[in-house]
């Protein structure tokens, strides 16, 4: 079965690599050299346009920064809709926004095309090992049809509700990630100033009730080590928290902490720039507290 994968970014490329050999893969990327490099390294055909990539593919996967890029690629002579055949399904692995997903799904349905929002969690490491969590929004029958494709790169794959539910859940998850990163950094900054080593503090927290993925993995491996690898852009996390904040507002849930996190990560991105990694937000906490979270 032919699968088209559009968007070979930091997470898209390792996800697409798992499809090679299992399916007849065709890739497209805005910067064509990255698609050529992907094909030379992993295999798969390269298409010159989104339209050519998706032609004859029952399943088309997109993985772009935001829903805006997904919507923009639908139209035009070289766009996705010019190539998709009736009965095919667009699986959007972008961490997008629920309202855009519902709009896209409605347009596609009018053309006899299916849509599933299927954002992923687990980072580049999870993408490389094919163990991503995939949260899917869409109708049950469409979800079941695309499940074998998602199993190539996902380990925990869950149908969470109608179109948009996957994107809503992903946004809430990432808002929690942001709150954990920032609040753990604040607590550690104070402890370091009081003379407690961060490795000692984290050792205790990680055996106690305040632990999280941030305290167990991100802060020890990326902050205390001062490695700060760039795997998931701060700008993308900022986008996710903003989606979560909007979603909570729409649902009329008071959301002081998530709104605050959205603002803090917006300030961090303004300070640190578009290329900064999400965990580098800790550098702002350090700057404000005049302290470095390191032994
Ligand atoms: P990157 O910034 O690394 O890659 C973005 C991809 O989108 C690239 O292929 C880029 O093409 C393409 N792109 C950007 N703008 C356009 C445009 N206007 N038209 C066409 N293509 C465009 O992002 P990631 O791969 O890190 O993230 C992709 C999605 O996955 C995001 O929604 C992110 O939030 C989510 N995600 C990322 C994770 C991570 O750890 N990185 C973890 C979980 C989810 P080009 O090569 O030409 O720049």
């Amino acid at each position: 079965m032919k699968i088209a994968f559009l968007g070979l970014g930091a997470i898209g490329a390792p996800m697409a690599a798992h499809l090679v050999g299992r399916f007849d893969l065709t890739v497209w990327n805005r910067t064509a050299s990255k698609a050529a490099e992907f094909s030379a390294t992993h295999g798969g055909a390269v298409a010159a346009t989104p339209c050519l990539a998706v032609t004859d593919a029952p399943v088309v996967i997109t993985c772009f920064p935001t829903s805006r890029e997904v919507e923009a690629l639908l139209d035009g002579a070289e766009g996705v809709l010019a190539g998709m055949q009736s009965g095919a399904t667009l699986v959007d692995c972008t961490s997008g926004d629920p309202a855009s997903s519902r709009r896209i799904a409605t347009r596609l349905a009018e053309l006899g095309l299916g849509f599933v929002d299927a954002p992923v969690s687990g980072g580049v490491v999870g993408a490389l090992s094919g163990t991503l969590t995939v949260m899917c929004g869409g109708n049950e029958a469409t979800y079941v049809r695309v499940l074998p494709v998602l199993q190539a790169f996902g380990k925990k794959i869950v149908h969470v509700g109608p179109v948009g539910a996957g994107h809503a859940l992903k946004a809430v998850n990432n808002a929690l990630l942001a709150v954990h990163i920032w609040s753990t950094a604040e607590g550690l900054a104070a402890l370091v100033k009081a003379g407690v080593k961060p490795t000692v503090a984290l050792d205790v927290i990680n055996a106690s009730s305040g632990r999280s993925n941030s305290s167990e993995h991100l802060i020890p491996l990326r902050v205390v080590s001062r490695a700060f690898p760039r795997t998931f852009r701060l700008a993308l996390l900022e986008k996710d928290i903003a989606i979560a904040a909007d979603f909570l507002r729409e649902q009329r849930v008071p959301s002081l902490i998530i709104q605050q996190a959205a603002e803090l990560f917006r300030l961090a991105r303004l300070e640190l720039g578009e290329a900064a990694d999400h965990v580098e937000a800790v550098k702002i906490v350090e700057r404000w507290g005049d302290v470095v979270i390191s032994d």
Side-chain angles (χ1 to χ4, degrees):
M1 177 169 70
K2 179 177 173 182
I3 306 287
F5 198 109
L6 316 183
L8 301 170
I11 197 137
M15 285 165 67
H18 290 286
L19 297 165
V20 178
R22 291 182 168 92
F23 300 96
D24 174 13
L25 178 70
T26 297
V27 297
W28 175 83
N29 194 66
R30 177 181 62 176
T31 304
S33 57
K34 287 193 200 167
E37 192 187 318
F38 176 93
S39 177
T41 309
H42 303 287
V46 176
T49 66
C51 174
L52 291 172
V54 306
T55 300
D56 295 329
V59 178
V60 173
I61 302 179
T62 45
C63 192
F64 295 114
T66 73
S67 295
R68 273 192 305 281
E69 289 80 35
V70 180
E71 275 193 299
L73 283 176
L74 295 180
D75 295 310
E78 297 188 341
V80 168
L81 294 182
M84 278 179 84
Q85 269 92 49
S86 180
T89 300
L90 177 65
V91 177
D92 185 20
C93 290
T94 304
S95 297
D97 68 271
S100 301
S101 301
R102 287 191 292 270
R103 201 165 50 237
I104 293 170
T106 303
R107 274 195 74 189
L108 265 60
E110 286 163 2
L111 301 169
L113 302 168
F115 179 85
V116 175
D117 45 309
V120 300
S121 184
V124 171
V125 171
L128 286 166
S129 59
T131 57
L132 291 170
T133 297
V134 190
M135 37 209 114
C136 302
N139 86 40
E140 176 81 27
T142 313
Y143 164 74
V144 168
R145 230 178 13 250
V146 301
L147 183 58
V149 180
L150 301 177
Q151 283 167 336
F153 49 74
K155 187 174 173 199
K156 186 171 182 68
I157 306 166
V158 186
H159 181 220
V160 300
V163 167
H167 281 155
L169 180 44
K170 170 67 185 177
V172 169
N173 176 77
N174 277 21
L176 296 179
L177 165 68
V179 169
H180 292 161
I181 290 172
W182 198 283
S183 56
T184 307
E186 285 183 347
L188 287 174
L191 287 166
V192 170
K193 289 185 105 168
V196 182
K197 284 189 170 179
T199 46
V200 172
L202 287 165
D203 185 41
V204 173
I205 289 168
N206 288 334
S208 307
S209 47
R211 70 185 179 277
S212 66
N213 180 51
S214 297
S215 67
E216 288 184 321
H217 303 293
L218 297 178
I219 295 194
L221 297 176
R222 296 171 176 230
V223 176
V224 178
S225 67
R226 311 314 285 171
F228 290 109
R230 290 185 161 174
T231 60
F232 175 41
R233 289 190 296 122
L234 174 56
L236 292 175
L237 182 57
E238 175 201 357
K239 168 259 309 177
D240 294 332
I241 317 165
I243 293 170
D246 283 348
F247 171 65
L248 269 70
R249 258 193 300 264
E250 273 164 31
Q251 299 302 319
R252 297 170 187 270
V253 172
S255 54
L256 280 76
I257 291 184
I258 287 179
Q259 306 288 346
Q260 192 75 264
E263 185 61 10
L264 289 169
F265 276 77
R266 191 181 73 81
L267 291 174
R269 195 256 313 153
L270 288 172
E271 282 288 309
L272 298 168
E274 292 297 318
D277 185 74
H278 66 305
V279 181
E280 289 182 73
V282 171
K283 290 178 181 172
I284 302 298
V285 177
E286 292 181 326
R287 202 179 287 171
W288 290 351
D290 195 20
V291 63
V292 173
I293 300 171
S294 174
D295 285 2

